[in-house]
Amino acid sequence: NNAGHTVVIGDESYALHLLPSGVLSDHAVPVIGNGVVIDPAVLIEEIDGIEARGISCDRLLISANAHLIMPHQVALDKVTERHLGKARIGTTGRGIGPTYADKAARMGIRVQDLFDETILRQKLELVLTEKNQVLTKLYNRRGIDANAVCREYTGYGQRIARYVADTGLVLNQALDNGKLVLLEGAQATLLDVDHGTYPFVTSSSPTAGGACVGSGVGPTRITKIVGILKAYTTRVGAGPFPTELDDEQGEYLREAGGEYGTTTGRARRTGWFDAVIARYTTRVNGITDYFITKLDVLSGLDKIPVCTGYEIDGVTHEEVPMTQTEFHHAKPVYEHLDGWREDISDAKELSDLPRNARDYLLALQDMIGAPVAAVGVGPRRDQTLQLRDLI
């Protein structure tokens, strides 16, 4: 609910948030898995919006086990983030963290609870006994009315009931029948609650291992893990960012790359490509193939810095530091690669790229520990150069 993907098909651009990109296909079955936390009002608005553009959601499936974002979780997310001041995490204020926290504390409310009003009311009254105390007495905010929320969310249940299914069963049966299942992730490796730049992370596991937990598909059934990397580096929210650019070059990358959040509209922080993070990503996820996007954004640069290591207290490190303190003090060690001036947005094959652009890709491939299978030279589908078979 705090992420988004922009998909460009021909002249049409679609900003997707909770809906999987597969909803834009005329034959795929788009599934929202159990690992997603869902604000039903946002989901319904997105379904209505995409259908108004002629895209059918008839095949959409939603896991009965997915957890719901409730009003008290949104309220707590906003008020606690403000309370942190300069130490804030940089959340979107959409209730993500509190919902995952309540899930782990066994105080969550799931999609399936919408279809049993007695259970829904009992769970709400139980959880609000505590949450309203925090809102009213600690933060001086208005409490949440359980009856009003129950009525509101029961209505949401009526709207989405047609989509709800045992999605783990559906996915495994599809695999049993030889069908292709693509698990689309949100967020990034360094936002993983275990393997990211804690505490400046999301509250779930967006690494490849989390795909199994979040979908109900066992790890032995995963055959390829495709990592998505931009030709430079971006980040939304607070946290360490060794290659960050707070100058004209950073602004150039932001504007040329359209680096604004699909869901929030927030400007992304920008910096040069970080091979240290990329190698770490390869290792943590078991990446088999990489898709390098936005190579076209780098056109026009004479030299392109690439971070190959970090200097910490006078010592060069080629791997991500073990501690948060070291990461915060890491200074990038750059290798400067030759740039190119040519417009590459019309390239159809690798050979169409200028020599220096090809050399840049080869250099990145050597640094990141996995082959580059595809390259994006623009936002449209026909601006993807496929170098290896991904299916």
Side-chain angles (χ1 to χ4, degrees):
N1 198 61
N2 61 346
H5 290 156
T6 299
V7 182
V8 179
I9 304 175
D11 295 328
E12 294 291 324
S13 179
Y14 301 90
L16 302 174
H17 309 280
L18 281 162
L19 290 175
S21 298
V23 74
L24 300 176
S25 165
D26 59 5
H27 61 273
V29 177
V31 176
I32 298 177
N34 57 274
V36 180
V37 293
I38 301 170
D39 185 324
V42 174
L43 176 59
I44 291 167
E45 181 181 7
E46 187 172 359
I47 290 172
D48 290 344
I50 202 91
E51 289 193 327
R53 296 182 63 181
I55 304 296
S56 173
C57 291
D58 287 346
R59 294 181 305 278
L60 175 66
L61 298 178
I62 303 170
S63 172
N65 289 340
H67 279 245
L68 295 169
I69 298 172
M70 308 301 292
H72 60 271
Q73 291 157 341
V74 176
L76 286 167
D77 194 4
K78 291 178 178 178
V79 74
T80 54
E81 185 76 349
R82 285 197 296 268
H83 183 71
L84 287 171
K86 292 183 179 180
R88 63 187 181 274
I89 304 298
T91 76
T92 56
R94 293 168 183 257
I96 308 298
T99 304
Y100 277 115
D102 284 351
K103 175 180 177 178
R106 301 177 295 277
M107 299 172 64
I109 294 173
R110 300 189 292 178
V111 169
Q112 60 180 276
D113 296 329
L114 297 177
F115 311 120
D116 188 327
E117 188 172 346
T118 301
I119 289 291
L120 178 60
R121 189 179 303 277
Q122 287 176 350
K123 288 189 173 185
L124 271 171
E125 290 175 347
L126 179 64
V127 71
L128 288 176
T129 299
E130 174 195 339
K131 304 301 182 182
N132 277 342
Q133 292 287 322
V134 175
L135 283 170
T136 59
K137 295 185 177 178
L138 182 59
Y139 294 113
N140 196 30
R141 294 296 191 274
R142 183 180 301 172
I144 306 294
D145 186 309
N147 290 324
V149 174
C150 188
R151 288 193 299 271
E152 178 185 0
Y153 274 65
T154 300
Y156 294 147
Q158 293 171 356
R159 279 292 313 272
I160 67 172
R162 57 181 290 208
Y163 307 115
V164 179
D166 183 348
T167 57
L169 176 62
V170 172
L171 293 173
N172 279 280
Q173 287 177 336
L175 290 169
D176 291 341
N177 293 327
K179 294 183 179 179
L180 177 68
V181 174
L182 172 65
L183 302 176
E184 176 187 17
Q187 313 292 10
T189 294
L190 289 193
L191 294 179
D192 187 276
V193 69
D194 281 297
H195 304 292
T197 50
Y198 192 90
F200 303 100
V201 294
T202 193
S203 299
S204 59
S205 296
T207 40
C212 298
V213 179
S215 66
V217 171
T220 57
R221 311 204 77 165
I222 305 292
T223 55
K224 276 187 180 288
I225 300 174
V226 182
I228 314 297
L229 282 171
K230 292 173 185 171
Y232 49 97
T233 305
T234 64
R235 179 173 186 136
V236 173
F241 188 167
T243 68
E244 183 171 13
L245 298 169
D246 290 318
D247 55 16
E248 292 180 358
Q249 289 179 315
E251 187 62 24
Y252 167 79
L253 291 176
R254 184 176 299 110
E255 293 304 319
E259 296 300 345
Y260 296 89
T262 300
T263 296
T264 64
R266 287 192 299 178
R268 297 189 181 109
R269 299 158 66 191
T270 57
W272 299 121
F273 189 90
D274 192 326
V276 182
I277 289 174
R279 284 194 295 272
Y280 177 75
T281 298
T282 305
R283 170 162 56 89
V284 170
N285 292 278
I287 299 288
T288 61
D289 301 88
Y290 270 114
F291 189 154
I292 305 293
T293 68
K294 297 193 173 184
L295 184 65
D296 55 301
V297 174
L298 300 182
S299 295
L301 300 175
D302 293 324
K303 291 287 184 178
I304 306 173
V306 174
C307 175
T308 58
Y310 299 147
E311 181 184 323
I312 304 171
D313 296 330
V315 178
T316 300
H317 297 254
E318 293 187 350
E319 299 292 343
V320 169
M322 181 180 71
T323 68
Q324 179 184 349
T325 300
E326 291 176 308
F327 210 159
H328 275 284
H329 289 95
K331 297 179 180 179
V333 176
Y334 286 118
E335 178 179 336
H336 292 80
L337 304 179
D338 291 330
W340 59 92
R341 290 284 178 179
E342 297 90 334
D343 179 1
I344 64 172
S345 59
D346 290 329
K348 300 301 180 185
E349 298 179 359
L350 184 65
S351 59
D352 294 335
L353 297 177
R355 176 63 182 271
N356 288 350
R358 283 179 278 153
D359 288 346
Y360 183 77
L361 291 172
L362 289 173
L364 296 192
Q365 183 171 254
D366 288 341
M367 295 176 190
I368 62 182
V372 176
V375 180
V377 294
R380 300 192 312 270
R381 287 188 172 190
D382 62 357
Q383 291 178 299
T384 296
L385 315 182
Q386 189 162 333
L387 313 184
R388 286 163 52 95
D389 190 7
L390 289 174
I391 297 176

